[in-house]
Amino acid sequence: MRRVGGLFLFAILAGFCIGLGGTVFLRLRDAFPGGNVVGALLFTIGLFTICTRGYALFTGKACYLFENPWPGYLLDLLIIWVGNLLGTMLIAGIETLTGIVGPESGINVTAAAMVDGKMGDSYLSLFLLGILCNICIFIAVNGYAKNPHQLGKYLALFLGVTVFIVSGMEHSVADMYYWSVSGVLYGQPGESLLRLVVISLGNVVGGVFFPVVESWKAKLEAVKAEVT
């Protein structure tokens, strides 16, 4: 129970960190020409903090689904998903008490416009964009973990995050924050959670894409070596 509690707490912190990144992105997205790119770069504060502090982010942990024992790891992913959601709701709730959220202007208005587009998108589109997003996240977190060069580690984080945001791909935890701060999560909870689940499933598929393909390649090469 202590391990589960610690995992849940670190998941809440990870969701909170992604909310920090989402906050600066929303503030800069329409502030000036190119603001979305600058906001995407600064969004990396979330993943940077998570990776350096060892917090538990659903999209990052999903990349290692086949490297951990089942069904325990599946339960871990569920705990992390819920914790991430609560973390994003927490920071969004705090922000509603501040001047950066307002009825006519504020980050909530920007978020609502974004979420409106996501609510009108098809489930298939959200799923596929979720796959593409977590391919970028795999590049980011795996690059941070395994790149032998310090500069390469941090470039992986910045490039992976910036590319998925500027490209309009779907990151389930970032979306949890956008849905929360916009208020749509509370106004349409059923449809909101359904779409977040669809995006999350896409993230899982995208996260394991490179590891699975690389595993197949290694097995084919092993078979070829045995034959020759």
Side-chain angles (χ1 to χ4, degrees), residues 20-32 35-36 39 95 98-101 105-108 110-111 177:
L20 289 175
T23 300
V24 69
F25 175 70
L26 292 175
R27 291 283 285 181
L28 296 179
R29 182 174 182 263
D30 301 319
F32 54 87
N36 63 320
E95 289 172 346
T98 72
I100 64 174
V101 169
S105 64
I107 60 171
N108 56 312
T110 305
Y177 169 71

Side-chain angles (χ1 to χ4, degrees), residues 100-123:
I100 64 174
V101 169
E104 297 182 1
S105 64
I107 60 171
N108 56 312
V109 176
T110 305
M114 292 174 56
V115 173
D116 184 60
K118 300 173 190 292
M119 291 291 278
D121 204 357
S122 70
Y123 296 124

Side-chain angles (χ1 to χ4, degrees), residues 53-89:
R53 303 300 298 173
Y55 297 154
L57 181 67
F58 175 81
T59 49
K61 296 296 185 182
C63 298
Y64 304 100
L65 179 62
F66 295 123
E67 298 181 19
N68 291 277
W70 291 26
Y73 198 68
L74 292 175
L75 179 59
D76 284 353
L77 286 178
L78 178 60
I79 292 169
I80 292 168
W81 193 92
V82 174
N84 288 169
L85 177 61
L86 291 178
T88 59
M89 292 171 67

Side-chain angles (χ1 to χ4, degrees), residues 36-171:
N36 63 320
V37 177
V38 177
L41 285 167
L42 294 178
F43 187 104
T44 312
I45 186 178
L47 191 57
F48 173 85
T49 306
I50 289 163
C51 289
T52 55
R53 303 300 298 173
Y55 297 154
L57 181 67
F58 175 81
T59 49
K61 296 296 185 182
C63 298
Y64 304 100
L65 179 62
F66 295 123
E67 298 181 19
N68 291 277
W70 291 26
Y73 198 68
L74 292 175
L75 179 59
D76 284 353
L77 286 178
L78 178 60
I79 292 169
I80 292 168
W81 193 92
V82 174
N84 288 169
L85 177 61
L86 291 178
T88 59
M89 292 171 67
L90 174 61
I91 186 170
I94 292 171
E95 289 172 346
T96 60
L97 303 176
T98 72
I100 64 174
V101 169
E104 297 182 1
S105 64
I107 60 171
N108 56 312
V109 176
T110 305
M114 292 174 56
V115 173
D116 184 60
K118 300 173 190 292
M119 291 291 278
D121 204 357
S122 70
Y123 296 124
L124 177 61
S125 175
L126 294 175
F127 178 74
L128 294 176
L129 289 172
I131 292 176
L132 294 175
C133 174
N134 234 41
I135 289 175
C136 292
I137 293 299
F138 174 81
I139 292 170
V141 298
N142 193 67
Y144 177 81
K146 297 185 177 181
N147 195 301
H149 306 290
Q150 288 298 317
L151 178 60
K153 288 178 177 291
Y154 297 108
L155 277 177
L157 292 180
F158 278 91
L159 290 174
V161 170
T162 303
V163 168
F164 95 71
I165 293 178
V166 175
S167 300
M169 298 169 186
E170 298 291 352
H171 186 283

